[in-house]
Amino acid sequence: MSMSHLYGTDGDDGVEMESFEVSDWDLQNEFNPHRQRHRQTKEEATYGVWAERDSDEERPSFGGKRSRDYSAPVNFVSAGLRKAAAEELSDEDSDDDEKPVKQEEIPKEFVPKKLKTGGNFKPSQKGFVGGSKSFVDFGSWERHTKGIGQKLLQKMGYVPGRGLGKNAQGIINPIEAKQRKGKGAVGAYGSERTTQSLQDFPVVDSEEETEEEFQKELSQWRKDPNGGKKKPKYSYKTVEELKAKGRISKQLAAPQKEISQVKVIDMTGREQKVYYSYSQISHKHNIPDDSPQQPLGKDSKPQGFALPELEHNLQLLIDITEQEIIQSDRQLQYERDMVVNLSHEIQKMAEVLSHEEKAISNLSKVLDMVEECERRMQPGCENPLTLDECAKIFETLQDKYYEEYRMSDRVDLAVAIVYPLMKEYFKNWDPLKDCTYGTEIIAKWKSLLENDQLLSHSGQDLSTDAFHRLMWEIWMPYVRNIVARWQPRNCGSMVDFLDSWVNVVPVWILDNILDQLIFPKLQKEVESWNPLTDTVPIHSWIHPWLPLMQARLEPLYSPIRNKLANALQKWHPSDSSAKLILQPWKDVFTPGSWEAFMVKNIVPKLGMCLNELIINPHQQHMDAFYWVIDWEGMISVSSLVGLLEKHFFPKWLQVLCSWLSNSPNYEEITKWYLGWKSMFSDQVLAHPSIKDKFNEALDIMNRAVSSSVGGYMQPGARENIAYLTHTERRKDFQYEAMQERREAENMAQRGIGAAAGSVPMNFKDLIQTKAEEHNIVFMPVIGKRHEGKQLYTFGRIVIYIDRGVVFVQGEKTWVPTSLQSLIDMAK
């Protein structure tokens, strides 16, 4: 491969060198646009600068190719600029006069120093070192050109005589070559650094260290000069290592222990050896670095000292010693753990001992207090124990010795100490005369003796609670005696007695008193009661028991109603005593039973009384009517309206018609009409049936006034009747509006309550809630009713509600419908 088209050849040794000489051809063709240009061949495009070229294709300014001798040694030359032939001749003459530079003659500034970042550049350095040419002629060849290279360098900040780079850290002189002595490799004859390299890259090398490393690497390839075997190296185990080994082997799992006890036969050596674990195989050689013995060859010498039995015995002794050390370490660790465990046990036992000593001390103090109580309870004691002092002693036990007091058998203690004192305290007690006697002291003993863990009061086990046993055995006999002598009609004292003890006595004892003692006495007294002969009303001695007994009195109500019904068989409404007897029972009986009693025993009597009533406008007797109206609060409005419709209004309307047919005085008729209407209460007048009857009377009067056209008519009668009709209708309208307003207010209040409780009170509230949910207007129609039922607008639909059923107005009749269908129609 030839590079001669780019590089010239030296005349002496044929070394190719780059030629930067400007030839005549370059000057002639510099500005010639039609100069012959070199075209790349296919081979040049493929191989680039390594392509083979013919001598014809080379530039005319470069020399021809010359064969080289590749067997000659490699010669390095300086990479300086090639000069013209005339300058080279002058340089050769000047070089002969120069002497070589020795190491001692190198200036101080060129002494090798440590390499710094960016080189060791000095601005005073101006020429080559070691006889090199000065920098004066550098780039002199640019005189034949425009000097574009020098201009570009100067534009980029280059200063002639300084190095390249931002900090002028580049080298100034070209790299200097140094010829090797022989044909050895690089570094074979020592350091090849030149004076210039020492100046530019002053790196401090330690030749001694380099030599030592070289000798060390070289010794690895040489044989041992002694020619003998390596000296054996022995390994030693410390006691700490053996202890650590023992701890690790102790933590082996069960399968690993089984593997460690496997019998192993080793036949790799001269003799057969038996091992009892895989771990012993690693210790079969005394010297760890020895390799297994090789068979003897011709040149090998036999082993002079081989005692396998002794080696085995020594190894056995070593193993035994190791096991003893490990076992001793384990025993020592066990003893240490045992000491720690025993110290904890001693600490715990000390705590238990102190606790037991404290408990013994407290129990001894409690025992002293109990013995003191027993001593003071003896008959001949000078300072006998009272119930208040005993209560203070028990309070002391409960406050200071709470645990001992709770664990002790309080039942036996109370039986032995408190019960005798309690009997003595209540010996002369009469509950009916002094009902509050002993309540405070019993309440105090309740807090002292009652068992807090017993939450259920039914079916108490008296052996587990001292207070319940105290009340049952000491207090209860006095109550039994007094109830046995008590008269049920004198109920005040007994009711006061039980009211004062209701918060002190256990619930099950109070239930026993009411069910087993009080109720049988009341039941017996009710059976002997006769409402016709007894002067004391029965409610005066039955009703005071309602707060205490409540539903327990229900069995007494049926015989009381039967006796009252029998007494009312011959009763007449003129006798007002029946109302006084029955009125207290209205709120006691259930509404259904009360209404049934009234309908069966009172309403028929009132109907007979109305039948006997004679309506005479000129001379009217109102006693019978007053007797009936007086029962308005006792019987229901519907029952009273039924009586009036059946027994009063037919006769009253008949009298009105006959009076109008005989040329009456309409002013008197108007007064008579208004007088009878004022006899009824607003609640009765608001009933639709009563309204219809009075409206019917107005219609009769209007027809009578309008029909008598030809006959004599009282002056102003027609106007008076029309005015009366208008006034009455307006009153009805105003009353209805007021009632609807009240209903709206009640509905609003119920709506607030329903919003708070979110539970509708009745079917109307439910409809209102649904209307609010679906944004539908639901409101009553003022002054409009159907069969006495209020009409409502639900959206654009007119409805009324009757007994929880919604009726919608159809074409001819009212049709019942469901709430969901109503919502769908309204939408």
Side-chain angles (χ1 to χ4, degrees):
M1 180 177 62
S2 174
M3 304 285 288
S4 59
H5 64 287
L6 295 175
Y7 297 89
T9 55
D10 195 342
D12 298 332
D13 50 3
V15 178
E16 295 180 354
M17 297 181 61
E18 186 176 1
S19 177
F20 292 98
E21 182 180 357
V22 180
S23 62
D24 297 336
W25 187 88
D26 290 328
L27 294 174
Q28 293 175 2
N29 294 281
E30 177 68 22
F31 302 102
N32 184 14
H34 301 290
R35 67 178 180 272
Q36 183 181 1
R37 297 182 182 273
H38 175 72
R39 295 185 179 276
Q40 276 190 334
T41 62
K42 184 176 182 182
E43 188 174 3
E44 286 176 349
T46 304
Y47 298 104
V49 296
W50 290 278
E52 294 290 345
R53 292 175 178 270
D54 296 334
S55 58
D56 298 338
E57 299 175 1
E58 296 177 357
R59 290 177 61 186
S61 61
F62 288 84
K65 184 178 178 183
R66 178 179 166 184
S67 61
R68 296 181 57 188
D69 185 8
Y70 290 98
S71 62
V74 178
N75 292 327
F76 290 90
V77 296
S78 176
L81 297 173
R82 187 169 182 82
K83 302 178 181 179
E87 293 176 355
E88 287 182 0
L89 293 175
S90 62
D91 290 342
E92 287 175 1
D93 296 336
S94 63
D95 291 342
D96 295 337
D97 301 332
E98 294 177 0
K99 297 180 180 179
V101 181
K102 296 183 180 180
Q103 184 73 19
E104 293 79 14
E105 298 175 359
I106 298 174
K108 216 174 194 181
E109 58 183 357
F110 301 125
V111 176
K113 294 182 181 179
K114 205 156 189 177
L115 180 62
K116 298 180 181 179
T117 305
N120 190 19
F121 171 78
K122 292 186 178 180
S124 61
Q125 187 176 350
K126 296 182 179 178
F128 290 96
V129 181
S132 304
K133 268 284 189 184
S134 174
F135 195 81
V136 178
D137 297 333
F138 178 74
S140 58
W141 53 272
E142 284 194 339
R143 70 173 63 96
H144 304 289
T145 65
K146 290 184 176 182
I148 187 63
Q150 187 74 10
K151 292 178 181 179
L152 290 175
L153 287 173
Q154 289 177 357
K155 277 186 176 181
M156 289 184 282
Y158 171 70
V159 179
R162 299 184 62 179
L164 296 177
K166 180 179 179 181
N167 299 321
Q169 70 270 22
I171 63 174
I172 300 173
N173 301 323
I175 298 174
E176 183 181 359
K178 184 175 181 181
Q179 188 172 1
R180 206 173 292 119
K181 297 178 181 180
K183 297 183 179 180
V186 176
Y189 306 102
S191 176
E192 297 184 358
R193 298 193 63 178
T194 61
T195 307
Q196 178 189 351
S197 67
L198 292 174
Q199 177 191 353
D200 293 336
F201 303 98
V203 180
V204 180
D205 292 333
S206 177
E207 296 182 358
E208 295 179 358
E209 293 179 1
T210 306
E211 185 65 24
E212 288 179 2
E213 292 178 1
F214 176 73
Q215 293 297 335
K216 186 177 180 180
E217 293 175 358
L218 190 62
S219 64
Q220 295 178 358
W221 298 93
R222 294 177 181 176
K223 293 184 178 180
D224 189 1
N226 299 328
K229 292 182 63 178
K230 289 184 181 179
K231 186 177 180 180
K233 294 181 181 179
Y234 295 93
S235 62
Y236 301 94
K237 290 183 179 178
T238 62
V239 177
E240 298 298 330
E241 292 177 353
L242 288 176
K243 291 180 181 179
K245 177 184 175 183
R247 296 189 189 100
I248 294 173
S249 61
K250 189 177 180 180
Q251 298 175 358
L252 287 175
Q256 293 177 337
K257 291 182 180 180
E258 294 176 1
I259 293 174
S260 63
Q261 298 176 1
V262 174
K263 183 178 180 181
V264 180
I265 301 174
D266 184 11
M267 302 183 67
T268 58
R270 295 181 181 179
E271 300 177 357
Q272 174 181 334
K273 295 181 180 180
V274 179
Y275 301 102
Y276 292 95
S277 66
Y278 288 114
S279 62
Q280 292 182 359
I281 299 177
S282 61
H283 304 296
K284 65 180 180 178
H285 300 295
N286 290 331
I287 303 172
D289 293 340
D290 281 354
S291 58
Q293 297 179 359
Q294 300 293 336
L296 295 175
K298 294 180 180 181
D299 299 333
S300 62
K301 295 180 181 181
Q303 189 175 2
F305 185 78
L307 293 174
E309 292 81 2
L310 180 60
E311 292 178 2
H312 174 73
N313 292 337
L314 289 175
Q315 184 64 38
L316 188 60
L317 289 174
I318 292 172
D319 293 342
I320 293 172
T321 306
E322 289 181 359
Q323 293 298 324
E324 289 178 355
I325 293 172
I326 293 173
Q327 189 66 25
S328 300
D329 178 64
R330 291 179 180 174
Q331 185 66 24
L332 179 60
Q333 187 65 31
Y334 172 76
E335 296 296 338
R336 289 175 179 171
D337 294 341
M338 184 61 69
V339 168
V340 174
N341 189 18
L342 290 176
S343 64
H344 288 304
E345 289 292 334
I346 290 172
Q347 186 178 359
K348 288 183 180 179
M349 295 307 296
E351 293 177 358
V352 172
L353 182 61
S354 63
H355 181 73
E356 294 294 336
E357 289 177 351
K358 184 179 179 181
I360 291 172
S361 176
N362 293 337
L363 286 174
S364 63
K365 294 178 182 178
V366 170
L367 184 60
D368 294 340
M369 297 175 68
V370 173
E371 289 177 352
E372 178 67 18
C373 292
E374 291 179 352
R375 186 185 63 78
R376 294 179 61 183
M377 289 183 64
Q378 298 299 326
C381 182
E382 297 179 357
N383 186 17
L385 185 66
T386 62
L387 193 60
D388 291 335
E389 294 176 350
C390 185
K392 293 180 180 178
I393 292 173
F394 272 77
E395 286 180 355
T396 304
L397 292 175
Q398 189 178 23
D399 295 338
K400 295 184 178 181
Y401 311 104
Y402 182 79
E403 294 295 333
E404 290 77 8
Y405 181 75
R406 288 298 176 188
M407 290 189 299
S408 64
D409 192 356
R410 286 173 287 171
V411 176
D412 297 337
L413 188 64
V415 169
I417 298 176
V418 182
Y419 286 13
L421 298 175
M422 193 70 70
K423 286 182 180 179
E424 184 68 20
Y425 184 80
F426 286 107
K427 181 173 62 174
N428 298 322
W429 176 48
D430 188 359
L432 297 181
K433 292 181 180 179
D434 190 2
C435 60
T436 60
Y437 178 80
T439 53
E440 296 180 0
I441 192 69
I442 292 296
K444 185 183 296 184
W445 281 105
K446 180 179 181 180
S447 62
L448 293 173
L449 299 178
E450 192 172 23
N451 193 349
D452 299 334
Q453 297 178 355
L454 296 176
L455 302 178
S456 175
H457 298 286
S458 59
Q460 288 287 341
D461 187 4
L462 296 180
S463 61
T464 59
D465 196 291
F467 177 72
H468 289 194
R469 183 175 176 182
L470 172 68
M471 296 299 294
W472 182 257
E473 295 183 358
I474 305 300
W475 183 81
M476 194 65 181
Y478 294 99
V479 178
R480 290 195 188 98
N481 292 333
I482 199 66
V483 171
R485 295 184 282 110
W486 166 68
Q487 293 298 325
R489 299 196 181 192
N490 186 15
C491 64
S493 58
M494 184 61 69
V495 170
D496 294 340
F497 163 68
L498 292 178
D499 282 339
S500 60
W501 285 85
V502 69
N503 295 324
V504 181
V505 179
V507 177
W508 67 278
I509 293 180
L510 182 62
D511 293 341
N512 181 270
I513 293 172
L514 295 176
D515 293 337
Q516 304 298 328
L517 300 179
I518 302 298
F519 182 77
K521 298 277 289 185
L522 293 176
Q523 189 176 19
K524 185 177 180 182
E525 191 67 21
V526 167
E527 291 176 356
S528 63
W529 170 68
N530 186 358
L532 298 177
T533 58
D534 288 339
T535 57
V536 178
I538 190 171
H539 65 268
S540 62
W541 48 272
I542 292 293
H543 288 183
W545 291 103
L546 287 173
L548 283 173
M549 303 188 71
Q550 295 178 357
R552 291 185 177 92
L553 296 176
E554 285 288 343
L556 300 179
Y557 297 156
S558 180
I560 290 173
R561 284 194 295 268
N562 292 334
K563 288 181 178 290
L564 290 174
N566 293 330
L568 291 172
Q569 288 181 356
K570 297 181 180 180
W571 169 78
H572 190 268
S574 60
D575 185 5
S576 60
S577 61
K579 182 180 179 183
L580 297 176
I581 294 174
L582 294 178
Q583 190 172 8
W585 293 98
K586 180 181 179 182
D587 297 330
V588 176
F589 295 156
T590 60
S593 61
W594 173 258
E595 183 66 19
F597 181 82
M598 290 287 106
V599 170
K600 182 179 179 182
N601 299 287
I602 301 300
V603 173
K605 301 286 185 178
L606 297 178
M608 293 173 59
C609 186
L610 284 177
N611 280 333
E612 296 174 359
L613 176 65
I614 299 173
I615 299 175
N616 185 1
H618 302 288
Q619 188 178 1
Q620 182 67 52
H621 297 282
M622 301 293 295
D623 294 338
F625 183 80
Y626 290 149
W627 296 338
V628 174
I629 293 298
D630 195 29
W631 285 86
E632 181 180 350
M634 300 291 290
I635 63 176
S636 62
V637 176
S638 60
S639 300
L640 181 60
V641 169
L643 285 174
L644 295 174
E645 285 182 338
K646 184 176 181 181
H647 303 287
F648 172 75
F649 279 107
K651 294 189 293 183
W652 185 77
L653 292 174
Q654 185 178 3
V655 170
L656 178 62
C657 293
S658 61
W659 193 4
L660 290 171
S661 60
N662 295 322
S663 300
N665 186 352
Y666 286 96
E667 292 182 0
E668 293 180 358
I669 291 178
T670 302
K671 291 180 181 179
W672 180 78
Y673 172 84
L674 295 176
W676 275 109
K677 191 173 182 180
S678 64
M679 301 297 294
F680 298 97
S681 64
D682 293 338
Q683 188 176 5
V684 175
L685 291 174
H687 197 276
S689 299
I690 303 300
K691 282 185 180 182
D692 293 341
K693 295 299 181 180
F694 281 105
N695 289 332
E696 185 179 353
L698 290 175
D699 293 338
I700 292 173
M701 287 188 286
N702 286 321
R703 287 197 300 270
V705 172
S706 60
S707 60
S708 58
V709 177
Y712 173 77
M713 176 62 61
Q714 181 179 353
R718 186 175 302 173
E719 290 78 6
N720 291 336
I721 297 299
Y723 177 76
L724 176 64
T725 304
H726 176 72
T727 303
E728 292 299 315
R729 297 287 171 82
R730 186 175 63 182
K731 287 181 180 180
D732 292 344
F733 178 77
Q734 291 176 352
Y735 182 79
E736 288 180 359
M738 184 177 63
Q739 289 295 109
E740 290 173 358
R741 193 180 303 112
R742 290 177 182 175
E743 289 181 3
E745 292 176 357
N746 295 333
M747 187 167 58
Q749 293 178 357
R750 286 197 299 268
I752 295 172
S758 67
V759 178
M761 299 299 293
N762 50 36
F763 190 66
K764 179 182 174 184
D765 295 338
L766 178 62
I767 295 175
Q768 182 179 2
T769 303
K770 292 295 183 181
E772 292 175 356
E773 290 178 359
H774 296 277
N775 198 18
I776 299 173
V777 177
F778 175 69
M779 59 181 297
V781 180
I782 299 176
K784 296 293 183 179
R785 291 179 176 272
H786 176 74
E787 296 181 355
K789 306 297 181 182
Q790 175 66 49
L791 297 182
Y792 300 91
T793 57
F794 191 85
R796 296 182 179 179
I797 305 172
V798 180
I799 63 170
Y800 76 90
I801 305 169
D802 186 12
R803 299 178 184 179
V805 180
V806 179
F807 290 86
V808 180
Q809 186 176 15
E811 295 180 357
K812 297 181 179 179
T813 59
W814 293 81
V815 181
T817 184
S818 64
L819 183 58
Q820 186 61 41
S821 302
L822 179 65
I823 294 172
D824 296 338
M825 287 188 290
K827 288 184 176 181

